[in-house]
Amino acid sequence: MSDPRREPLVRIRNLKKNFGTLEVLKGIDMDVHEGQIMALIGPSGSGKSTLLRTINQLEEVTSGEIWFDGTLVNAPLSHRAREKHLNALRRNIGMVFQHFNLFPHMTALENVTMAPVLLGLQTKDEAREKALRLLDKVGLGDRANYYPARLSGGQKQRVAIARALAMEPKMMLFDEVTSALDPELVGEVNRTMKQLAQENMTMLIVTHELKFAADTASHVVFMADGLIVEEGPPQQVLRDPVQARTRAFLQQDD
Amino acid sequence: MDFDLMQRVWWFFAEASVATIYISALAIVLGLCLGFTAALASLSRLAVVRWPARAYVSVFRGTPALIQLFLLFFGGLQLGLELTPIQAGIIALGINIGAYMTESIRGAIVAVERGQMEAGRCLGLSHAQTMRRIILPQAARLMVRPLGVNSVALIKGSAIVSTISVTELTYTAHRFISSTYKPFEMFILAAIFYLVIITLFMRLIGWIDARVALED
Ligand SMILES: Nc1ncnc2c1ncn2[C@@H]1O[C@H](COP(=O)(O)OP(=O)(O)OP(=O)(O)O)[C@@H](O)[C@H]1O
Ligand SMILES: [Mg+2]
C-alpha cells in the first residue's frame, strides 16, 4: 500500500498555529503517504481539528510548512493569487464535517453534482450519472431526490461523503464524522469509510472511536497539547504505547 | 359620521391608493437594489468597500425621512436638480428604506450557518460562487419576513410625500378636508385604504414566505 520511499502526499514541517495568544499547534511534523489511512486521536482541545483544517487552509497557519502533492499549501501569496491557489488545492482534498454541512436547499443528488458542474469538471449528465453511482455506493441510491431535512444523520453523513468523492479528491479529511450521530447510526458511516479505505483512498481521520481506529487505520497519531506525542501502527500505539501520556489517555478512554 | 359624504368621495381615495401603491412599489424596488448592494458591501473584506455601506446605513437610519425628502426635493431645486414631486418621493423613500433593508439582508446572510461557507470552499468553490449558490439562496428565505416588515413601514411612511403635494392617499384626505371640513371622515377613509393595502401586502409576504420555506 504505502511506499515510504515515495514522496509523501502531505508533508507537514514545524507547523505552529496560534489563536491570538493561545498556542494550539506547537510544532507538528507529519507525513501522510498515498494510500495511508491515518487516524488522529487525542484529548479534547489537543488541536486535532485545527491540524486537519490547516491542511486545506480553513485555518491559516502561524508558521511552518504544509506541502500537498509537491506544492507548498501555505505559500505567501497576494490575496487573489492565494484564493486561486486554494480553490485548485481544495478540489483535490475532500472534507467531511462533524455536522455534515449539507446544503439544505438542494437534494442529495444536487448536493453531489453542484460543485463538479459549477467548476466545469463534469457535464451535467456526467455529474448526474457519477453522483447516482456514488449515492448507490454509499447505500443511498433510493434517496437521490430527498432533501437533507428528510434524511437521518447517518444518511446525511453518507451524502456528505459522496459529495466530497464526486470531486475525485486525492485525499479525504474526516473530522469526527460520527460523533454527532445516534449510536445506532454510527455503523453505517463507519462501513462506508472502511470501504473507502479498502479502495486505497488516502484518509486522515480525526476520531475518538479507538476501536474503529484499530480496525481501519494503517497508522495512528496520538496528539496532546498541540504536539504529536506518539505515532505508529495501530497495534503498537493503541495496544502497547511507549509514552506515559498515551497510556494515560487510553486507560481513561476504556 | 357623514356616511353619505364618504360614499360620494371614496372613489377618489381608491384612485389615490393606486398612487400610494405605485410610489411604494418603486421605492421598495429601489430599496431592495440599494439594500443588496450595501449589504454585500458591508460584508466585504475591504474597509474601503465596507465603510461607505456602513455610513449609508447610519446616516439614513439616523435622520428623519421627512428631512431626507425635503433635502432632496427643496434642496435639490435650490441646487438645480429638478425632480417632479413623484420622482423625489420615490427616490427619497427608496434610499431611506434601503438603509433598513441593508440591515435585514445583512442579518439574513450572517445568520446562515458558518459551516455552509466552509463546505462550499472545501469543494473548491470561490467565495463569490459559494455566496451565490449556497449562502444567498438560504439567506433569501430568512430575509422575506424582515424585508416584509421594512416594506410595510415604507407603505405607511409614504404618507410623508403628501407634504410635497404628491396626490396619494394622505394628500387626497387633506384635499377633501379643505373643501368639506370633515377631517374625521376623510382620515377614516384614508386609514381604511391603508389598512386594505397593507393587509393584502402582508398576505403576499406570507405567500412568498411559504413558497420559499425549506421543504421539511
Ligand atoms: N477559531 C478559534 N478561535 C479561537 N480558539 C480556537 C478556535 N478553534 C479552536 N480553538 C481552540 O484551539 C484549541 C484546539 O481546538 P481543536 O478544535 O483543534 O481541538 P480538538 O483536538 O479538535 O478537540 P475536540 O476533540 O474537542 O474536537 C482549543 O483550545 C480550542 O478552544
Ligand atoms: Mg475537533
Side-chain angles (χ1 to χ4, degrees):
Chain A
M1 266 189 350
S2 64
D3 178 355
R5 286 162 306 182
R6 278 184 61 183
E7 186 72 1
L9 187 58
V10 179
R11 176 197 285 275
I12 294 174
R13 289 296 175 268
N14 199 20
L15 179 66
K16 294 184 181 168
K17 168 71 182 173
N18 302 346
F19 286 112
T21 55
L22 182 70
E23 283 189 347
V24 174
L25 301 177
K26 301 176 183 168
I28 301 279
D29 293 301
M30 191 170 93
D31 287 340
V32 185
H33 290 270
E34 233 166 278
Q36 205 167 33
I37 316 298
M38 189 177 279
L40 198 51
I41 60 171
S44 182
S46 54
K48 307 181 296 292
S49 298
T50 306
L51 174 58
L52 206 66
R53 291 161 58 86
T54 58
I55 294 175
N56 63 0
Q57 292 286 282
L58 285 182
E59 302 291 356
E60 284 186 40
V61 309
T62 304
S63 67
E65 289 180 357
I66 303 173
W67 296 82
F68 179 82
D69 205 16
T71 57
L72 183 60
V73 168
N74 59 325
L77 295 169
S78 71
H79 178 79
R80 275 185 70 161
R82 184 178 142 80
E83 288 289 295
K84 258 184 89 171
H85 161 74
L86 289 184
N87 292 342
L89 170 87
R90 286 169 178 158
R91 290 172 199 187
N92 293 312
I93 305 177
M95 183 158 192
V96 186
F97 302 87
Q98 182 175 359
H99 295 288
F100 331 124
N101 297 353
L102 286 184
F103 307 132
H105 58 304
M106 298 180 189
T107 62
L109 184 68
E110 289 164 349
N111 264 277
V112 181
T113 57
M114 190 270 302
V117 173
L118 185 62
L119 297 173
L121 306 176
Q122 296 160 26
T123 67
K124 267 193 177 152
D125 288 340
E126 284 166 1
R128 193 188 142 79
E129 200 181 312
K130 188 169 166 61
L132 287 172
R133 242 185 304 122
L134 284 169
L135 287 172
D136 219 31
K137 178 171 149 172
V138 300
L140 294 171
D142 57 339
R143 295 288 188 277
N145 295 316
Y146 280 47
Y147 282 90
R150 293 180 54 204
L151 299 174
S152 73
Q155 291 172 331
K156 280 185 206 167
Q157 199 56 295
R158 286 181 285 147
V159 173
I161 292 172
R163 176 175 72 177
L165 290 175
M167 296 294 294
E168 300 182 355
K170 294 186 176 149
M171 177 185 194
M172 292 278 284
L173 307 174
F174 296 86
D175 192 0
E176 304 217 18
V177 297
T178 56
S179 55
L181 299 178
D182 292 336
E184 73 272 19
L185 302 177
V186 169
E188 61 192 57
V189 173
N190 280 347
R191 269 194 299 282
T192 303
M193 288 167 71
K194 276 187 188 156
Q195 191 184 345
L196 263 185
Q198 275 154 16
E199 293 166 9
N200 276 339
M201 173 59 81
T202 309
M203 298 161 77
L204 182 49
I205 306 169
V206 173
T207 183
H208 62 252
E209 284 185 77
L210 299 182
K211 183 164 174 345
F212 176 73
D215 293 349
T216 315
S218 56
H219 195 83
V220 173
V221 173
F222 172 67
M223 268 180 82
D225 296 328
L227 287 168
I228 292 179
V229 175
E230 182 163 6
E231 62 176 310
Q235 55 279 22
Q236 188 251 300
V237 177
L238 297 174
R239 304 256 152 74
D240 191 18
V242 178
Q243 302 293 332
R245 190 87 173 76
T246 317
R247 247 175 281 143
F249 172 75
L250 293 174
Q251 263 158 21
Q252 183 187 17
D253 208 84
D254 287 336
Chain B
M1 225 165 40
D2 190 344
F3 288 107
D4 196 46
L5 172 67
M6 286 166 83
Q7 259 177 21
R8 271 184 287 128
V9 300
W10 76 269
W11 180 248
F12 293 96
F13 284 80
E15 278 182 351
S17 302
V18 175
T20 289
I21 292 169
Y22 172 77
I23 292 165
S24 302
L26 289 184
I28 288 169
V29 171
L30 176 60
L32 285 172
C33 295
L34 289 170
F36 266 103
T37 312
L40 289 176
S42 73
L43 293 169
S44 168
R45 193 174 53 80
L46 302 170
V48 288
V49 179
R50 247 179 2 244
W51 192 82
R54 300 267 162 91
Y56 164 58
V57 172
S58 324
V59 168
F60 284 87
R61 293 205 316 178
T63 53
L66 190 63
I67 298 290
Q68 294 164 20
L69 177 68
F70 285 175
L71 263 175
L72 180 68
F73 186 63
F74 298 118
L77 270 180
Q78 183 194 333
L79 301 179
L81 178 70
E82 287 192 27
L83 294 171
T84 65
I86 263 218
Q87 288 170 339
I90 291 167
I91 295 172
L93 289 173
I95 295 178
N96 177 263
I97 206 65
Y100 291 89
M101 288 176 159
T102 302
E103 289 300 89
S104 300
I105 293 166
R106 199 176 93 91
I109 292 172
V110 301
V112 174
E113 251 185 82
R114 179 191 147 84
Q116 293 288 309
M117 176 56 84
E118 289 188 350
R121 298 307 306 274
C122 277
L123 290 166
L125 270 56
S126 68
H127 181 88
Q129 285 172 323
T130 312
M131 254 310 175
R132 240 184 349 258
R133 299 292 294 260
I134 314 291
I135 308 296
L136 289 179
Q138 293 179 63
R141 303 175 154 142
L142 302 174
M143 63 181 76
V144 173
R145 288 273 165 198
L147 288 175
V149 170
N150 295 149
S151 302
V152 166
L154 172 98
I155 296 170
K156 292 190 276 195
S158 72
I160 65 170
V161 302
S162 64
T163 58
I164 57 169
S165 309
V166 177
T167 320
E168 43 66 81
L169 266 173
T170 304
Y171 185 80
T172 301
H174 275 296
R175 217 173 48 149
F176 277 96
I177 290 161
S178 55
S179 55
T180 63
Y181 308 104
K182 295 271 166 93
F184 189 75
E185 282 83 351
M186 296 305 106
F187 282 132
I188 285 283
L189 262 180
I192 290 170
F193 277 96
Y194 276 115
L195 185 63
V196 171
I197 294 169
I198 283 165
T199 307
L200 291 176
F201 182 77
M202 300 228 279
R203 286 257 172 125
L204 175 69
I205 293 294
W207 180 78
I208 295 173
D209 193 47
R211 286 275 317 249
V212 301
L214 274 186
E215 150 160 0
D216 55 8

